[in-house]
Amino acid sequence: MTVQLAPLPSDRYDDWFATTRARLIALRHDSGSLVGEDADAAVDQFLGEMLAQGLETPTSVILTIDDDGRRLGTVWIAANNGILFLVDLAWAVAPDEGQRDGLLAALRSFAADHRVDRISIAVFSSDAEGQAFAAGRGFEVASIQMLLEPVPHRDAAPEVTVLPMTPERFTSFAAASEAAFADDLVASGRYSPEDAAVESHRQMVQELPDGIASAGQELFVAEVDGVEVGVLWLGMRTRGGRPHAFVLDIEVGAEHRRRGYGRAMMLAAEREAVCLGAESIGLHVFGFNAAAIRLYESLGYRRLEERFLLSI
């Protein structure tokens, strides 16, 4: 049994594109990652950016997966920053474990030929085949997108008080947040220190173009008995046309950790989200942060999408 990869014939591109578009939209709907027309719009924008020149787009390669002349499916890949990204993996037939192993071997060979040393795949919670491919083959969770919907009413009395961040506090917060996010990007294995610094700065400027006065951004300090114990940053979004809050940063001060403030601040984030009209709240967490993942899941957050990384 030998799994082989070959370029998608040009006369199959239109059919592949239509099928892939429908698949990507369905994965977002079925996982709950996006709802309604949001999924269609996001996928169309994604495809337009990633395949600006169709099959001739130099940054993307679409390959067929074959086993002894039998067509098993397709894989869409892109390479960047030393990582081979599996943008989409679509099986036309249900593969067995040998065929999954064969695909990984073929991808390893492709990666070696293109001088990349890691393979990455993002898998939605509704993508059983994607999960089966990543399971048991050395992939590690690099990051997770999570959602809590609806935001529950909890009876627990507030343990921390959150107050709007002042412009004076914002200056030090922004610098520390950008540096910490860059460090996390490096720790996740997806970026070099240099690229992480660039990406962290790009995202900070994108979210906070006008600093603390940026529209849709809510920044707080968390206090206990008048002493600051952490910071909280919520970005307001929409989800299916309804207000949605996203936790962009939450940090307990180093000297205040292991006292339950992380949980208390997440509950405060939920309360603030509701006050801002949000019916749902989402967040991103790096895979190495096991304690945070346990906390979020204990509060009812569910995994929408996981990005896996394999060092080869």
Side-chain angles (χ1 to χ4, degrees), residues 165 169 173 220-222 228 230-233 249-251 265:
M165 187 177 291
R169 180 66 179 89
F173 159 77
F220 307 91
V221 294
E228 180 182 317
V231 291
L232 171 65
W233 175 12
D249 197 3
I250 183 167
E251 184 76 18
M265 286 175 60

Side-chain angles (χ1 to χ4, degrees), residues 46-47 56 69 71 93 121-122 146 159 163 191 237 246 264 273 279-280 298 307:
F46 176 73
L47 291 171
E56 303 304 317
R71 183 61 45 81
V93 298
I121 181 172
M146 307 184 81
E159 298 178 31
L163 302 169
Y191 289 82
R237 312 281 197 259
F246 195 87
E279 300 178 16
S280 56
S298 74
R307 181 165 291 280

Side-chain angles (χ1 to χ4, degrees), residues 141-159:
V141 179
S143 61
I144 309 170
Q145 295 285 346
M146 307 184 81
L147 175 74
L148 181 65
E149 184 180 40
V151 181
H153 171 74
R154 306 188 194 269
D155 293 327
E159 298 178 31

